[in-house]
Amino acid sequence: MTRLASGGRIDRSRPLRFTFDALPHTGFAGDTLASALLANGVRVVSQSVTYGRLRGIFSAGVEEPNALVQVGGGTGSEPMLRATQVELYDGLVAESLNARGRLSPEPDVARYDKLFAHCDVLVVGGGSTGLAAALAAGKAGARVILADEQAEVGGTFLGGRDLIDGRPATDWLAEVATDLAALPEVRVLSRATAVGYYDQNCVLIAQRRTAHLGPAAPAAMARQRLWQVRAKQVVLATGAHERPMVFAENDRPGIMLAGAVRTYVNRYGVVPGHRAVIFTNNDSAYACAIDLDDAGLDVPAVVDVRPNPAGGWPDRVRERGIEVLAGQVVSDTAGGNRGLESVWAGQRIDCDLLCVSGGFNPAVHLFIQSQGRLRYDEILACFVPDEAPQAVAVAGAANGTFGLRDCIQEGLAAGAAAASAVGFGDGHPAGAPQVETVAEHPIVPFWLVPDESGATQFVDLERDVTVADVRRAVGAGMQSVEHVKRYTTIGTGSDQGKTAGINSAAIVGALLGQPVAAIGTTTFRPPYVPVSFALFAGRTRGQLFDPARVTPIHPWHVAHGAVFENVGQWKRPWYFPHDGETMEQAVLRECRAVREGVAAMDVSTLGKIDIQGTDALRFLNRIYTNAYDTLAVGHCRYGLMCKADGMVFDDGVVMHVGPDRYLATTTSGGAAAVLDWMEEWLQTEWPDFRVRLTSVSDQWATVAVAGPRSREVLRALAPAMAADAVSFPFMAIREGMVAGIPARVCRISFSGELAFEINVASWYGLRLWEAVMAAGEPFGITPYGTEAMHVLRAEKGYAIIGQDTDGTVTPQDLGMSWVVSKKKDFIGRRSHRRADTARPDRMHLVGLLPVEPEDLLPEGAQLILEPRQEPPVAIVGHVTSSYRSAALGRTFALALVKGGRDRMASQVYAPLPDRLHPATVTEPIFYDKEGLVRDG
Amino acid sequence: MLLIPCPWCGQRDEIEFRYGGAAHVEYPADPETVDDATWARYLFVRPNPKGPLAERWCHSQGCRRWFNIVRDTVTHQIMRSYRMEEAP
Amino acid sequence: MSGSEHPDHLWRNPDPKRSYDVVIVGGGGHGLSTAYYLARNHGITNVAVLERGWLAGGNMARNTTVIRSNYLWDESAAIYEHSMKLWETLAEDLDYDILFSQRGVLNLTHSLHDTREAHRRVYANRLNGIDAEWLTPEEIKEFCPIVNLSPDLRYPVMGASLQRRGGIAKHDYVAWAFARQADAFGVDLVQNCEVTGFDLDGGRVTGVQTSRGPIAAGKVALCAAGHSTVLAAMVGLDLPIQSHPLQALVSELLEPALNCVVLSNAVHVYVSQAHKGELVMGAGIDPFISYAQRGSPHIIEYQLAAAVELFPIFSRAHVVRTWGGIVDVSPDASPIVGLTPIENLFVNCGWGTGGFKATPASGWVYAHTIARGEPHPLNAPFSLDRFARGALIDEHGAAAVAH
Ligand SMILES: Cc1cc2nc3c(=O)[nH]c(=O)nc-3n(C[C@H](O)[C@H](O)[C@H](O)COP(=O)(O)OP(=O)(O)OC[C@H]3O[C@@H](n4cnc5c(N)ncnc54)[C@H](O)[C@@H]3O)c2cc1C
Ligand SMILES: [Zn+2]
């Protein structure tokens, strides 16, 4: 048993059962999976990714490179978690991994959410520094968020044995926590890791909310939460990561970071071995020796690379009879399948635990993400924060300040300064508590124990990279750490090289004869720790991925069995099949109804823009290719618009509804883009125009009633409205009551048949539709969907923007010169004169009649002139729309064909996998060329 | 996630805005009289500096106003925000 | 094994000479392949590649390595298919295992409109001699079982186009392979050497100013991707290029889960699983101009939402690292490769979000253009003057697929 009888912050009264690799174990509340494994004597936790070497728990925190586990049970299985960060719960099931995780096929039913928060001061890290900073800022009155990654605040000093004001530091901690809780403007987030630092002090914080509860997690609670915090000031108190030592066979289970060992002993009451050697280049590891000695372990030696370590810490250790091997290194180790058995430090020393410390790297990851710069500090032998462009301060160990007293002081000062920078307090912190300090003997940077081969000197444990690999990379000509990283894969693991990065830079430097300062670090990228895909996705899932828009008439469509099509964000009825009908049969029936009787369609999805003001006419004349000067009130006109490059962008109908007032419709998918486009020109190019634009797409519901008998339906609905061809001519607008609802009726047709579009306030939409269906019943009124609409318009040769065009098509290409004014400037006009745009042999919209009347060409089929198939074949165009027509009793298509208008009556071929399909080029109009049926 | 100062609404998250590219691009006074190369420059060539850039944004999820800011394309710091009618 | 898949020698690290026949500005994939083909195809070896940072540390080191040639327009299809053919023998040609894997690229469609355009592309590809297939949802299930084919998706998968010859390669290895062979031909690869100005004599370029001193050059070839306009501005040349952040990410190493490359333009997902096991995924571009090599997190958030919708199995995978490149976007999403109005100055840029796959062909045609002083037939349509004529090659259009 390696659990101490007392001590630590675990609750021995709450044992928790768990399994690791199917073997049952027991830990206590307050344990991490790592501390519980160590307490159960589990030394080997993984095999390395490349060499299959045995590995044990190496650290006690986020930097863990070895103890990567798959955690499953209850709520689904999650890959590649660090055992050092998994809180133990009863029933936890974990498996070891060799650096590669498994995706569980079970659906993840958990909820992940997001929260946007704002504060004056964000403090990242709840160790001594961060707590002090939060306290100082909070007391000054600032709105503070303190985020800490662990289950409880306290950070590293939960694993130490410092005294503050003569009492255990944890007493001070409890007081500070109470003080913070009493400040109403301070919010403390635990299990909350700041993972990304973006522009203008935007910090993303990933918070784990239920995983530590295991199966007891409430289902309704979000498993994790992503906080987007926007802070006026940020204080980074993110601590430091201990550096490993690089020597031969330095990867055995039982070789651990010295600071981590202290944490296991003091915080979790676990001793990860029986006989421990310390290997260090600095004083911090001496405290480890003392802790282990107090815990009753044999500590035969501290191996210190410094020639004459002296003063407070070394003396205390020597006083206990622990030998200090000064100026020595551990150059090799031996062991078996339970890990370490002895080390070689000029002599063989038997031990099953080797605690290493190569100094500390400030955790500057977030600082670098904030675009801060680093500088190398020769005295501290590490990279420390330097300049920062954003409003950020770094304090404590993250800033290279390692003593507890100094950390608290720096934290208080940083918190007070941050608060005062945003108007709270005078910037002077309250006095710091008394902390006993011991004069330190300076660190001596030490990067690498000399070794011929370097083949077992591991630099990156997760990626299994050795000094030999680094040597090869440098030998191949690589001089940049970024190249070495890519050549060797150092630092590309899921730990992003937290323990490997600086050592590798120093080793590259050593090999090139340059100081580590000249080599620099690789860039740390978000996220600071791995973040699940699901958390980034948040609630943007399922139907919330992109909420669907539906019209007021939608419930009727659903009730009547419509099959829907996604058009932009809209759900539109595609067709309304009767029982037993195929899509083709339904569409032919719906088309026939329009051509022979009467049919109704919900066209509420069309974009609608209300355009008002004394310059409205001028505005329209610039936006649309055609002119509106002659459009009288009470009439409407088809309009087309181009982008500045002259290519067709959208179309619709412009209604002149009153003096200086128009209503423009747009395509259903294009509404937002068209409004944006209009506003952009209005506000940025023509700010002097007196025009106001308002989107009214959702305010109006519109029902199109089409077919030779549509007038009869309108008469039934609106007896007071004169509907004959003379009183209500084509492209006229009438206002009046329809089915007892105030309505605006337009005589517009997209099918070529007599048709009326009835517009009412959207809350009357369903009532209007039901009234239309009732009034139309005697005439056999048929609801129709987008597919029939597409067929009908194609029979008339009306292009659908986005289907028959693709952003490379001009109005002239569509044969629509009639809608392009010669007299005025409009957006895109100048582009039509460019050499390539004015070419006579551009792609023209034409009709196609397959030679065999039953031959339905697939949309998208390419067209060629010669009846041969072997590639490469010169392509002359493609089919844009293709249908079976009830009215024509055959198939037909629209196509864009090179020089198409000069190819009338000639033959083209669609080469399809089965064979060539010949078709004849025609005018793009197939039905009622003379426009005889328009008036009914 | 940029924090963009709308001159009308104050500072808001980037997700509320639509980008409009470089500001102060002159529409040719009389497009019909310029040659193809000049017109192409208007259509396609925009400032793309490494450093401060005057650019347009539209507060499309807010007040729907277009406005200009000066932003450094290397640091993303925003030095100035001004209304459409204000001088560059 | 790490490291041992690479040769023991990659390149010398020479100091720049005073003068070269050709100076290539930018040591990304395209600059390096241009140097290689200049030497191999045209016998021009007195060449320097000047790189402001470390070789291939720009977009070349940051892309998601999707390789395909199924472009819509004839001009694009021709150059990308030439590239594909070069890829197919590149490992042998360069004597380097670049981990080129033709595992197939699926392009999912989610609307009738997408579907129509995908068909259009499939049909066009076949006539251009490019392998292209249409898969129904049932066939997708067969080919890539983890795609979510549920009709309850907000935008259900309606089908996919598939290019079986498409796939991925290891970007760094590709760059190093070109670099190593160029170096072996005697090309000087000069790092930490930023071009800061040009020497002009009349309307002709004669050399460059650099952070490592002036260097004379018979010809200067720009190959600077996101920095192209910065360089062009030094000689008063306007390029229709905008530089945007493009972000990507990787997961931890995972057991094999995804056997092909999947792109879904409608919802902005493109993903593959690299050889070691990490999921590699790209996002849409950030809208604004930037040289910061960083973008905004909501772009990543949106992309992962789409990814988890399409691949529910990814839900608990973790993002281990995100990053950004600076992509050079042209008005028609097609590259600009050719001569400039300035004599002896050449330009190669505008590959935007999709130039990795073009690395071999881009170098091939650009080397030809530099050596002969006139474009290769494959890059002739991609001239700078196409914009004034209006002869754009609009890969943005309806059938657009990024990457
Ligand atoms: C996130 C991301 C994902 C992508 N995904 C794909 C994909 O899946 N498939 C695909 O085909 N393409 C993809 N791309 C695009 C592809 O990476 C680029 O199109 C391609 O790499 C650009 O060519 P390059 O390699 O020469 O550019 P770069 O590697 O950027 O090379 C340009 C070089 O010029 C140097 N330079 C700049 N200015 C100077 C100067 N003044 N002096 C000296 N040197 C200078 C730069 O430092 C840089 O090294 C992606 C890009 C990104 C950013
Ligand atoms: Zn606003």
Side-chain angles (χ1 to χ4, degrees), chain C residues 25-31 50-54 56-67 193-196 223-227 231 234 246-248 270 323-328 351-359 403:
Chain C
V25 185
H30 292 207
L50 308 184
E51 169 52 51
R52 63 192 280 268
W54 40 284
N59 293 340
M60 191 62 179
R62 292 155 203 273
N63 69 78
T64 47
T65 79
V66 177
I67 296 172
C193 181
E194 176 165 3
V195 170
T196 54
C223 231
H227 278 81
L231 283 156
M234 295 174 192
L246 178 64
Q247 302 184 65
Y270 49 106
W323 64 87
I326 313 168
V327 292
D328 41 341
W351 295 94
T353 60
F356 172 69
K357 64 180 71 65
T359 304
H403 317 291

Side-chain angles (χ1 to χ4, degrees), chain A residues 747-768:
Chain A
R747 242 201 81 191
I748 311 173
S749 174
F750 199 37
S751 59
E753 300 298 331
L754 175 68
F756 300 88
E757 287 189 1
I758 308 167
N759 299 275
V760 298
S762 54
W763 49 84
Y764 294 123
L766 184 55
R767 212 172 102 192
L768 172 69

